[in-house]
Amino acid sequence: TVDNFLQYVKSGQYSGTIFHRVIDGFMIQGGGMTPDMREKSTRAPIPLESRNGLTNVRGSVAMARTSDPNSATAQFFINVRDNAFLDPSTQSIGYTVFGQVVSGMDVVQKIKSVPTGPGGPFRSDVPRTPVIIQSATIVTP
């Protein structure tokens, strides 16, 4: 999952994409749509890796997917609170956590609070003003 995400970063996939689902008290999701709500093309989906010991706590970064467990491609979400119900359990396959916000939670807090409404295929959680990811880069300590 990490390798998949880094490949998208290196290819420039995230430049100009938006946070297209913003749900205060839950998560912010982005990485796959343009400001005009067109889905960007992606590579093939990756296998689910949700049972890796990481959990959907506030600030964790996880892969978005459809109901198909092995459908994650480029879209990701950042949990804005602890969301244990997204973790794998005996009743759920869960969502793959692969990262943690280590700096910039103030920005996540601002994004989660933007006004939202209907847009594209989504009923009510699209920011009224696009929240654009200008670029994503790999930073080494």
Side-chain angles (χ1 to χ4, degrees), residues 1-2 49-50 52 54-57 60-63 77 79 86-87 95-100:
T1 300
V2 171
E49 296 180 323
S50 61
N52 62 15
L54 302 175
T55 58
N56 284 278
V57 295
S60 61
V61 184
M63 291 306 295
F77 61 92
N79 288 289
L86 297 177
D87 295 336
Y95 287 79
T96 303
V97 173
F98 68 94
Q100 179 73 34

